[in-house]
Amino acid sequence: MKEDCIFCKIVKGDIPAFKVYEDEQVLAFLDITQGTRGHTLLVPKKHVENTYGLTEEDAAALFKRVPKIARGIKEAFDPIGLNIINNNDEPLQSVFHVHIHLIPRYPSDGMVLTTLDRQDEYGKEDYEAVRKAIKEQLD
Ligand code: AMP
Ligand code: ZN
């Protein structure tokens, strides 16, 4: 629990939220913004700022609940698809209590969340340099 954290306050019940799921370790509630109908946030009850700070156990506890919430949203609203997003650090992240966005998608919903195909910009050496840079940090 972090005193000035809005999601800790929601977990504690100090401020209201539209809760859709809760157990000992996680809480899921509607994003106040509703980027699309059913946009839901999944958070750990334990305060951790973002993905960089999660232990493997924290991550397992959080991410293992994702399919359940995703299925619930799919069943409820029959979207054409669903994006799962997790923002880390400013300026992407605005609430510094780690959370996963589950965003159901509908035809012409106006959300722009897509990856660009950059295959024509990358040669074998570029992939290899990128691979090496990341792998060096993981070995
Ligand atoms: P992010 O940019 O990934 O940190 O997103 C934080 C999200 O939290 C935004 O989509 C906000 O709409 C949402 N949010 C902020 N305050 C609340 C709140 N009190 N209840 C529900 N969602 C909130
Ligand atoms: Zn918090």
Side-chain angles (χ1 to χ4, degrees):
M1 169 79 194
K2 190 162 177 282
E3 289 304 325
D4 60 348
C5 170
I6 191 150
F7 289 174
C8 280
K9 286 180 186 164
I10 288 175
V11 166
K12 213 177 152 208
D14 286 351
I15 62 169
F18 295 94
K19 297 177 186 177
V20 300
Y21 177 79
E22 181 166 17
D23 62 29
E24 279 174 16
Q25 287 170 310
V26 304
L27 176 66
F29 52 94
L30 298 187
D31 191 306
I32 200 115
T33 303
Q34 290 294 281
T36 65
R37 189 172 180 79
H39 180 179
T40 297
L41 301 176
L42 175 66
V43 309
K45 289 193 168 176
K46 173 179 164 186
H47 179 88
V48 177
E49 266 196 22
N50 54 35
T51 297
Y52 303 123
L54 290 171
T55 65
E56 291 188 353
E57 291 72 27
D58 294 337
L62 180 63
F63 284 80
K64 83 176 185 188
R65 304 316 201 277
V66 168
K68 182 183 178 72
I69 310 301
R71 284 191 293 266
I73 295 170
K74 181 174 160 67
E75 289 304 310
F77 297 115
D78 193 25
I80 55 168
L82 181 117
N83 291 120
I84 293 170
I85 295 172
N86 160 242
N87 293 320
N88 298 283
D89 282 344
E90 279 180 303
L92 301 179
Q93 187 176 5
S94 62
V95 176
F96 293 89
H97 178 129
V98 64
H99 52 278
I100 296 170
H101 295 259
L102 294 98
I103 306 176
R105 301 299 305 276
Y106 307 98
S108 309
D109 61 17
M111 291 286 283
V112 183
L113 297 168
T114 183
T115 53
L116 301 172
D117 184 351
R118 294 224 149 102
Q119 285 185 60
D120 55 352
E121 296 172 28
Y122 276 72
K124 200 174 165 215
E125 280 114 60
D126 300 312
Y127 286 114
E128 189 52 39
V130 173
R131 185 191 74 84
K132 199 162 160 262
I134 299 171
K135 190 168 185 301
E136 272 173 9
Q137 302 303 321
L138 303 178
D139 287 339

Coordinates of all heavy atoms in Angstrom, one line a residue, residues 10-87:
I10 N -8.0 2.3 -4.5 CA -9.1 1.5 -5.0 C -9.0 0.0 -4.4 O -10.0 -0.5 -4.0 CB -9.0 1.4 -6.6 CG1 -9.4 2.8 -7.2 CG2 -9.9 0.3 -7.1 CD1 -9.3 2.9 -8.7
V11 N -7.8 -0.5 -4.4 CA -7.6 -1.9 -3.8 C -8.2 -1.9 -2.3 O -8.9 -2.8 -1.9 CB -6.2 -2.3 -3.8 CG1 -5.9 -3.5 -2.9 CG2 -5.8 -2.6 -5.3
K12 N -7.8 -0.8 -1.6 CA -8.2 -0.7 -0.2 C -9.7 -0.4 0.0 O -10.2 -0.6 1.1 CB -7.3 0.4 0.5 CG -7.0 0.1 1.9 CD -6.1 1.2 2.5 CE -6.3 1.3 4.0 NZ -6.1 2.6 4.5
G13 N -10.3 0.1 -1.1 CA -11.7 0.5 -1.0 C -11.9 1.9 -0.5 O -13.0 2.4 -0.2
D14 N -10.8 2.7 -0.5 CA -10.9 4.1 -0.1 C -11.6 5.0 -1.1 O -12.1 6.0 -0.8 CB -9.6 4.7 0.3 CG -9.1 4.1 1.6 OD1 -9.9 3.5 2.3 OD2 -7.9 4.4 2.0
I15 N -11.4 4.6 -2.4 CA -12.1 5.3 -3.5 C -12.9 4.3 -4.3 O -12.4 3.1 -4.4 CB -11.3 6.2 -4.3 CG1 -10.2 5.5 -5.1 CG2 -10.6 7.4 -3.5 CD1 -9.5 6.3 -6.1
P16 N -14.0 4.6 -4.9 CA -14.8 3.6 -5.6 C -14.2 3.2 -7.0 O -13.5 4.0 -7.6 CB -16.1 4.4 -5.8 CG -15.8 5.8 -5.8 CD -14.6 6.0 -4.9
A17 N -14.6 2.0 -7.4 CA -14.3 1.6 -8.7 C -15.4 0.6 -9.1 O -16.0 0.0 -8.3 CB -12.9 0.9 -8.7
F18 N -15.5 0.4 -10.4 CA -16.5 -0.6 -11.0 C -15.7 -1.9 -11.1 O -15.2 -2.2 -12.1 CB -17.1 -0.1 -12.3 CG -17.9 1.2 -12.1 CD1 -17.3 2.4 -12.3 CD2 -19.2 1.1 -11.8 CE1 -18.1 3.6 -12.2 CE2 -20.0 2.3 -11.6 CZ -19.4 3.5 -11.8
K19 N -15.8 -2.7 -10.0 CA -15.0 -3.9 -9.9 C -15.6 -5.0 -10.7 O -16.9 -5.2 -10.6 CB -14.8 -4.3 -8.5 CG -14.1 -3.3 -7.6 CD -14.0 -3.8 -6.2 CE -13.4 -2.7 -5.3 NZ -13.4 -3.0 -3.9
V20 N -14.8 -5.7 -11.5 CA -15.4 -6.9 -12.2 C -14.8 -8.2 -11.7 O -15.5 -9.3 -11.9 CB -15.1 -6.8 -13.8 CG1 -15.8 -5.5 -14.3 CG2 -13.6 -6.8 -14.1
Y21 N -13.7 -8.2 -11.0 CA -13.1 -9.4 -10.5 C -12.2 -9.1 -9.3 O -11.5 -8.1 -9.4 CB -12.4 -10.2 -11.6 CG -11.7 -11.4 -11.0 CD1 -12.5 -12.6 -10.8 CD2 -10.4 -11.4 -10.7 CE1 -11.9 -13.7 -10.3 CE2 -9.8 -12.6 -10.2 CZ -10.5 -13.7 -10.0 OH -9.9 -14.8 -9.5
E22 N -12.2 -10.0 -8.3 CA -11.3 -9.7 -7.2 C -10.9 -11.1 -6.6 O -11.8 -12.0 -6.5 CB -12.0 -8.8 -6.2 CG -11.1 -8.5 -5.0 CD -11.6 -7.4 -4.1 OE1 -12.8 -7.0 -4.2 OE2 -10.8 -6.9 -3.3
D23 N -9.7 -11.3 -6.2 CA -9.3 -12.4 -5.4 C -8.2 -11.9 -4.4 O -8.0 -10.7 -4.3 CB -8.9 -13.6 -6.2 CG -7.7 -13.4 -7.1 OD1 -6.9 -12.6 -6.8 OD2 -7.6 -14.1 -8.2
E24 N -7.5 -12.8 -3.8 CA -6.5 -12.4 -2.8 C -5.4 -11.6 -3.4 O -4.8 -10.7 -2.7 CB -5.9 -13.7 -2.1 CG -6.8 -14.2 -1.0 CD -6.3 -15.5 -0.5 OE1 -5.1 -15.8 -0.7 OE2 -7.1 -16.2 0.2
Q25 N -5.1 -11.8 -4.6 CA -3.9 -11.2 -5.2 C -4.1 -10.1 -6.2 O -3.3 -9.2 -6.4 CB -3.0 -12.3 -5.8 CG -2.3 -13.1 -4.8 CD -1.7 -14.3 -5.4 OE1 -2.3 -15.1 -6.2 NE2 -0.4 -14.5 -5.1
V26 N -5.3 -10.1 -6.9 CA -5.5 -9.1 -7.9 C -6.9 -8.5 -7.8 O -7.8 -9.1 -7.2 CB -5.4 -9.8 -9.3 CG1 -4.0 -10.4 -9.5 CG2 -6.5 -10.7 -9.6
L27 N -7.0 -7.4 -8.5 CA -8.3 -6.7 -8.7 C -8.5 -6.3 -10.1 O -7.5 -5.8 -10.7 CB -8.4 -5.5 -7.7 CG -9.6 -4.7 -7.8 CD1 -10.9 -5.4 -7.3 CD2 -9.5 -3.4 -7.0
A28 N -9.6 -6.5 -10.7 CA -9.9 -6.0 -12.1 C -11.1 -5.0 -12.0 O -12.1 -5.3 -11.3 CB -10.2 -7.1 -13.0
F29 N -11.0 -3.9 -12.6 CA -12.1 -2.9 -12.6 C -12.1 -2.1 -13.9 O -11.1 -2.1 -14.6 CB -11.9 -1.9 -11.4 CG -10.5 -1.3 -11.3 CD1 -10.3 0.0 -11.9 CD2 -9.5 -1.9 -10.6 CE1 -9.0 0.6 -11.8 CE2 -8.2 -1.4 -10.6 CZ -8.0 -0.1 -11.1
L30 N -13.2 -1.5 -14.2 CA -13.3 -0.7 -15.4 C -12.4 0.5 -15.4 O -12.3 1.2 -14.4 CB -14.7 -0.2 -15.6 CG -15.8 -1.3 -15.7 CD1 -17.1 -0.6 -16.1 CD2 -15.5 -2.3 -16.7
D31 N -11.7 0.7 -16.5 CA -10.9 1.9 -16.7 C -11.9 3.0 -16.8 O -12.9 2.9 -17.6 CB -10.1 1.8 -18.0 CG -9.1 3.0 -18.1 OD1 -9.5 4.1 -18.0 OD2 -7.9 2.7 -18.3
I32 N -11.7 4.1 -16.1 CA -12.6 5.2 -16.0 C -12.8 5.8 -17.4 O -13.8 6.4 -17.7 CB -12.1 6.3 -15.0 CG1 -13.2 7.2 -14.5 CG2 -10.9 7.1 -15.5 CD1 -13.6 7.0 -13.1
T33 N -11.8 5.7 -18.2 CA -11.8 6.3 -19.6 C -12.6 5.4 -20.6 O -13.1 6.0 -21.6 CB -10.3 6.4 -20.1 OG1 -9.6 7.2 -19.2 CG2 -10.3 7.1 -21.5
Q34 N -12.8 4.1 -20.4 CA -13.5 3.3 -21.3 C -13.1 3.6 -22.8 O -14.0 4.1 -23.6 CB -15.0 3.4 -21.1 CG -15.5 2.8 -19.8 CD -15.3 1.3 -19.8 OE1 -16.1 0.5 -20.4 NE2 -14.3 0.8 -19.2
G35 N -11.9 3.4 -23.1 CA -11.4 3.6 -24.5 C -12.3 2.9 -25.5 O -12.6 3.4 -26.6
T36 N -12.7 1.7 -25.1 CA -13.8 1.1 -25.8 C -14.7 0.5 -24.7 O -14.3 0.4 -23.5 CB -13.4 -0.1 -26.7 OG1 -12.8 -1.1 -25.9 CG2 -12.4 0.4 -27.8
R37 N -15.9 0.1 -25.1 CA -16.9 -0.5 -24.1 C -16.3 -1.8 -23.5 O -16.1 -2.8 -24.3 CB -18.2 -0.8 -24.8 CG -19.3 -1.1 -23.9 CD -20.6 -1.2 -24.6 NE -21.8 -1.5 -23.8 CZ -22.4 -0.7 -23.0 NH1 -22.0 0.6 -22.9 NH2 -23.4 -1.1 -22.3
G38 N -16.0 -1.8 -22.2 CA -15.5 -3.0 -21.6 C -14.0 -2.9 -21.2 O -13.5 -3.8 -20.6
H39 N -13.4 -1.8 -21.6 CA -12.0 -1.5 -21.2 C -11.8 -1.7 -19.7 O -12.3 -1.0 -18.9 CB -11.6 -0.1 -21.7 CG -10.2 0.3 -21.4 ND1 -9.8 1.6 -21.8 CD2 -9.2 -0.3 -20.9 CE1 -8.5 1.7 -21.5 NE2 -8.1 0.6 -20.9
T40 N -10.9 -2.7 -19.4 CA -10.7 -3.1 -18.0 C -9.3 -3.1 -17.6 O -8.4 -3.3 -18.5 CB -11.3 -4.6 -17.9 OG1 -12.7 -4.6 -18.2 CG2 -11.1 -5.2 -16.5
L41 N -9.0 -2.8 -16.4 CA -7.7 -2.8 -15.8 C -7.5 -3.9 -14.8 O -8.4 -4.1 -14.0 CB -7.3 -1.5 -15.1 CG -7.4 -0.2 -16.0 CD1 -7.2 1.0 -15.1 CD2 -6.4 -0.2 -17.1
L42 N -6.4 -4.6 -15.0 CA -6.1 -5.7 -14.0 C -4.9 -5.3 -13.2 O -3.8 -4.9 -13.8 CB -5.8 -7.0 -14.7 CG -5.4 -8.2 -13.9 CD1 -6.5 -8.7 -12.9 CD2 -4.9 -9.4 -14.8
V43 N -5.0 -5.2 -11.9 CA -3.8 -4.8 -11.1 C -3.5 -5.8 -10.0 O -4.4 -6.5 -9.5 CB -4.1 -3.4 -10.4 CG1 -4.6 -2.4 -11.5 CG2 -5.1 -3.5 -9.3
P44 N -2.3 -5.8 -9.5 CA -2.0 -6.6 -8.3 C -2.4 -5.8 -7.1 O -2.4 -4.6 -7.2 CB -0.4 -6.8 -8.4 CG 0.0 -5.6 -9.1 CD -1.1 -5.2 -10.1
K45 N -2.8 -6.5 -6.1 CA -3.1 -5.8 -4.8 C -1.9 -5.2 -4.2 O -1.9 -4.1 -3.6 CB -3.9 -6.7 -3.9 CG -5.3 -7.0 -4.4 CD -6.1 -7.7 -3.3 CE -7.6 -7.7 -3.8 NZ -8.5 -8.4 -2.9
K46 N -0.8 -5.9 -4.4 CA 0.5 -5.4 -3.9 C 1.0 -4.2 -4.8 O 0.9 -4.3 -6.0 CB 1.5 -6.5 -4.0 CG 2.9 -6.2 -3.6 CD 3.8 -7.5 -3.8 CE 5.2 -7.2 -3.8 NZ 6.0 -8.4 -4.1
H47 N 1.5 -3.1 -4.1 CA 1.9 -2.0 -4.9 C 3.3 -2.3 -5.5 O 4.3 -2.5 -4.8 CB 2.0 -0.7 -4.1 CG 2.5 0.5 -4.8 ND1 1.7 1.3 -5.5 CD2 3.8 0.9 -5.1 CE1 2.4 2.2 -6.2 NE2 3.7 2.0 -5.9
V48 N 3.3 -2.3 -6.8 CA 4.6 -2.3 -7.6 C 4.4 -1.3 -8.7 O 3.4 -1.3 -9.3 CB 4.9 -3.7 -8.2 CG1 6.1 -3.7 -9.0 CG2 4.9 -4.8 -7.1
E49 N 5.5 -0.5 -9.0 CA 5.3 0.6 -9.9 C 5.0 0.2 -11.3 O 4.1 0.7 -12.0 CB 6.6 1.5 -9.9 CG 6.5 2.6 -9.0 CD 7.5 3.7 -9.3 OE1 8.1 3.8 -10.4 OE2 7.8 4.4 -8.3
N50 N 5.8 -0.7 -11.8 CA 5.6 -1.2 -13.2 C 6.2 -2.5 -13.4 O 6.7 -3.1 -12.5 CB 6.0 -0.1 -14.2 CG 7.4 0.3 -14.1 OD1 8.2 -0.5 -13.7 ND2 7.6 1.6 -14.3
T51 N 6.2 -3.0 -14.7 CA 6.7 -4.3 -15.0 C 8.1 -4.6 -14.6 O 8.5 -5.7 -14.1 CB 6.5 -4.6 -16.5 OG1 5.1 -4.6 -16.7 CG2 7.0 -6.0 -16.9
Y52 N 9.0 -3.5 -14.7 CA 10.4 -3.6 -14.3 C 10.6 -4.1 -12.9 O 11.6 -4.7 -12.5 CB 11.1 -2.3 -14.5 CG 11.0 -1.8 -16.0 CD1 10.5 -0.5 -16.2 CD2 11.4 -2.5 -17.1 CE1 10.4 0.0 -17.5 CE2 11.3 -2.0 -18.3 CZ 10.8 -0.7 -18.5 OH 10.7 -0.2 -19.8
G53 N 9.6 -3.7 -12.0 CA 9.8 -4.0 -10.6 C 9.1 -5.3 -10.1 O 9.2 -5.7 -9.0
L54 N 8.5 -6.0 -11.0 CA 7.8 -7.3 -10.6 C 8.8 -8.4 -10.4 O 9.7 -8.6 -11.3 CB 6.8 -7.7 -11.7 CG 5.5 -6.8 -11.9 CD1 4.8 -7.3 -13.2 CD2 4.6 -6.9 -10.7
T55 N 8.6 -9.2 -9.4 CA 9.3 -10.4 -9.2 C 8.6 -11.4 -10.2 O 7.5 -11.2 -10.6 CB 9.3 -11.0 -7.8 OG1 7.9 -11.3 -7.5 CG2 9.8 -10.0 -6.8
E56 N 9.3 -12.6 -10.4 CA 8.6 -13.6 -11.2 C 7.3 -14.1 -10.5 O 6.4 -14.4 -11.2 CB 9.6 -14.8 -11.4 CG 10.8 -14.4 -12.3 CD 11.6 -15.6 -12.7 OE1 11.4 -16.7 -12.2 OE2 12.5 -15.3 -13.6
E57 N 7.3 -14.1 -9.2 CA 6.1 -14.6 -8.5 C 5.0 -13.5 -8.7 O 3.8 -13.9 -8.9 CB 6.4 -14.8 -7.0 CG 7.3 -16.0 -6.7 CD 8.8 -15.8 -7.1 OE1 9.2 -14.6 -7.1 OE2 9.4 -16.8 -7.4
D58 N 5.4 -12.3 -8.5 CA 4.4 -11.2 -8.7 C 3.8 -11.3 -10.1 O 2.6 -11.2 -10.3 CB 5.0 -9.8 -8.7 CG 5.6 -9.4 -7.3 OD1 5.1 -10.0 -6.3 OD2 6.5 -8.6 -7.2
A59 N 4.7 -11.4 -11.1 CA 4.2 -11.5 -12.5 C 3.3 -12.7 -12.8 O 2.3 -12.6 -13.4 CB 5.4 -11.5 -13.4
A60 N 3.7 -13.8 -12.2 CA 2.9 -15.0 -12.4 C 1.5 -14.8 -11.8 O 0.5 -15.2 -12.5 CB 3.6 -16.2 -11.7
A61 N 1.4 -14.2 -10.6 CA 0.1 -14.0 -10.0 C -0.7 -13.1 -10.8 O -1.9 -13.2 -10.9 CB 0.4 -13.4 -8.6
L62 N -0.1 -12.0 -11.4 CA -0.9 -11.1 -12.1 C -1.3 -11.6 -13.5 O -2.4 -11.6 -13.9 CB 0.0 -9.8 -12.3 CG -0.6 -8.6 -13.1 CD1 -1.9 -8.1 -12.3 CD2 0.4 -7.5 -13.2
F63 N -0.3 -12.0 -14.3 CA -0.5 -12.4 -15.6 C -1.4 -13.7 -15.8 O -2.1 -13.9 -16.8 CB 0.8 -12.6 -16.4 CG 1.4 -11.3 -16.8 CD1 2.1 -10.5 -15.8 CD2 1.2 -10.7 -18.0 CE1 2.7 -9.3 -16.2 CE2 1.8 -9.5 -18.4 CZ 2.5 -8.8 -17.4
K64 N -1.4 -14.5 -14.8 CA -2.2 -15.7 -14.9 C -3.7 -15.5 -14.8 O -4.5 -16.3 -15.2 CB -1.7 -16.8 -13.8 CG -2.3 -16.6 -12.5 CD -1.9 -17.8 -11.6 CE -2.6 -17.8 -10.3 NZ -2.0 -18.8 -9.4
R65 N -4.0 -14.3 -14.3 CA -5.5 -13.9 -14.3 C -5.9 -13.3 -15.6 O -7.1 -13.1 -15.8 CB -5.8 -12.9 -13.2 CG -5.4 -13.3 -11.8 CD -5.7 -14.7 -11.4 NE -5.8 -14.8 -10.0 CZ -4.7 -15.0 -9.1 NH1 -3.5 -15.1 -9.6 NH2 -4.9 -15.2 -7.8
V66 N -5.0 -13.0 -16.5 CA -5.4 -12.3 -17.8 C -6.4 -13.1 -18.6 O -7.4 -12.5 -19.0 CB -4.1 -11.9 -18.6 CG1 -4.5 -11.5 -20.0 CG2 -3.3 -10.8 -17.9
P67 N -6.1 -14.4 -18.8 CA -7.1 -15.1 -19.7 C -8.5 -15.1 -19.2 O -9.5 -15.0 -19.9 CB -6.5 -16.5 -19.7 CG -5.1 -16.4 -19.4 CD -5.0 -15.2 -18.5
K68 N -8.6 -15.3 -17.9 CA -10.0 -15.3 -17.3 C -10.7 -14.0 -17.5 O -11.9 -14.0 -18.0 CB -9.9 -15.5 -15.8 CG -11.2 -15.6 -15.0 CD -10.9 -15.8 -13.5 CE -12.2 -15.8 -12.7 NZ -12.9 -17.1 -12.9
I69 N -10.1 -12.9 -17.3 CA -10.7 -11.6 -17.5 C -11.0 -11.4 -19.0 O -12.1 -10.9 -19.4 CB -9.8 -10.4 -17.0 CG1 -9.3 -10.6 -15.6 CG2 -10.6 -9.1 -17.1 CD1 -10.4 -10.8 -14.5
A70 N -10.0 -11.8 -19.8 CA -10.2 -11.6 -21.3 C -11.4 -12.4 -21.8 O -12.2 -11.9 -22.5 CB -8.9 -12.1 -22.0
R71 N -11.6 -13.6 -21.3 CA -12.7 -14.5 -21.7 C -14.0 -13.8 -21.2 O -15.0 -13.9 -21.9 CB -12.6 -15.9 -21.1 CG -11.6 -16.8 -21.8 CD -11.7 -18.2 -21.4 NE -11.3 -18.4 -20.0 CZ -10.1 -18.8 -19.7 NH1 -9.1 -19.0 -20.6 NH2 -9.8 -18.9 -18.4
G72 N -14.0 -13.3 -20.0 CA -15.2 -12.6 -19.5 C -15.7 -11.5 -20.4 O -16.9 -11.3 -20.7
I73 N -14.7 -10.7 -20.8 CA -15.0 -9.5 -21.7 C -15.5 -10.0 -23.0 O -16.5 -9.5 -23.6 CB -13.8 -8.6 -21.8 CG1 -13.4 -8.0 -20.5 CG2 -14.0 -7.5 -22.9 CD1 -12.0 -7.3 -20.5
K74 N -14.8 -11.0 -23.5 CA -15.3 -11.6 -24.8 C -16.7 -12.1 -24.8 O -17.5 -11.8 -25.7 CB -14.3 -12.7 -25.2 CG -14.6 -13.4 -26.6 CD -13.4 -14.3 -26.9 CE -13.8 -15.4 -27.9 NZ -14.1 -14.9 -29.2
E75 N -17.0 -12.8 -23.7 CA -18.3 -13.4 -23.6 C -19.4 -12.3 -23.4 O -20.5 -12.3 -23.9 CB -18.4 -14.3 -22.4 CG -17.7 -15.6 -22.6 CD -18.2 -16.4 -23.8 OE1 -19.4 -16.6 -24.0 OE2 -17.3 -16.8 -24.6
A76 N -19.0 -11.2 -22.7 CA -19.9 -10.2 -22.4 C -20.3 -9.3 -23.6 O -21.4 -8.9 -23.8 CB -19.4 -9.3 -21.3
F77 N -19.3 -9.0 -24.4 CA -19.5 -8.0 -25.5 C -19.3 -8.5 -26.9 O -19.4 -7.7 -27.8 CB -18.6 -6.8 -25.2 CG -19.0 -6.1 -23.9 CD1 -18.1 -6.1 -22.9 CD2 -20.2 -5.5 -23.8 CE1 -18.4 -5.4 -21.7 CE2 -20.5 -4.9 -22.6 CZ -19.6 -4.8 -21.5
D78 N -18.8 -9.7 -27.1 CA -18.6 -10.3 -28.4 C -17.8 -9.3 -29.3 O -18.2 -9.0 -30.4 CB -19.9 -10.6 -29.1 CG -19.8 -11.5 -30.3 OD1 -18.7 -12.2 -30.4 OD2 -20.6 -11.4 -31.2
P79 N -16.6 -8.9 -28.8 CA -15.8 -8.0 -29.7 C -15.2 -8.7 -30.8 O -15.2 -9.9 -30.9 CB -14.7 -7.5 -28.7 CG -14.6 -8.6 -27.7 CD -15.9 -9.2 -27.6
I80 N -14.7 -7.9 -31.8 CA -14.0 -8.6 -32.9 C -12.6 -9.0 -32.6 O -11.9 -9.7 -33.3 CB -14.0 -7.7 -34.2 CG1 -13.3 -6.3 -33.9 CG2 -15.4 -7.5 -34.8 CD1 -13.0 -5.5 -35.1
G81 N -12.1 -8.4 -31.4 CA -10.7 -8.8 -31.0 C -10.5 -8.1 -29.6 O -11.4 -7.4 -29.1
L82 N -9.3 -8.3 -29.1 CA -9.0 -7.7 -27.8 C -7.5 -7.4 -27.7 O -6.7 -8.3 -28.0 CB -9.4 -8.7 -26.7 CG -9.2 -8.3 -25.3 CD1 -10.5 -8.2 -24.5 CD2 -8.3 -9.2 -24.5
N83 N -7.2 -6.2 -27.3 CA -5.8 -5.8 -27.1 C -5.4 -5.9 -25.7 O -6.2 -5.5 -24.8 CB -5.5 -4.4 -27.6 CG -5.6 -4.3 -29.1 OD1 -6.4 -3.5 -29.7 ND2 -4.7 -5.0 -29.8
I84 N -4.2 -6.4 -25.4 CA -3.7 -6.4 -24.0 C -2.5 -5.5 -24.0 O -1.5 -5.7 -24.8 CB -3.4 -7.8 -23.6 CG1 -4.7 -8.6 -23.5 CG2 -2.7 -7.8 -22.2 CD1 -4.5 -10.1 -23.2
I85 N -2.5 -4.5 -23.2 CA -1.4 -3.5 -23.2 C -1.0 -3.2 -21.7 O -1.8 -3.2 -20.8 CB -1.9 -2.1 -23.8 CG1 -2.3 -2.3 -25.2 CG2 -0.9 -1.0 -23.6 CD1 -3.0 -1.1 -25.8
N86 N 0.3 -3.0 -21.6 CA 0.9 -2.6 -20.3 C 1.9 -1.5 -20.6 O 2.9 -1.7 -21.3 CB 1.5 -3.9 -19.7 CG 2.6 -3.6 -18.6 OD1 3.7 -3.9 -18.8 ND2 2.1 -2.9 -17.6
N87 N 1.7 -0.4 -20.0 CA 2.5 0.8 -20.2 C 3.5 0.9 -19.1 O 3.2 0.8 -17.9 CB 1.7 2.1 -20.3 CG 0.8 2.1 -21.6 OD1 1.3 1.7 -22.6 ND2 -0.4 2.6 -21.4

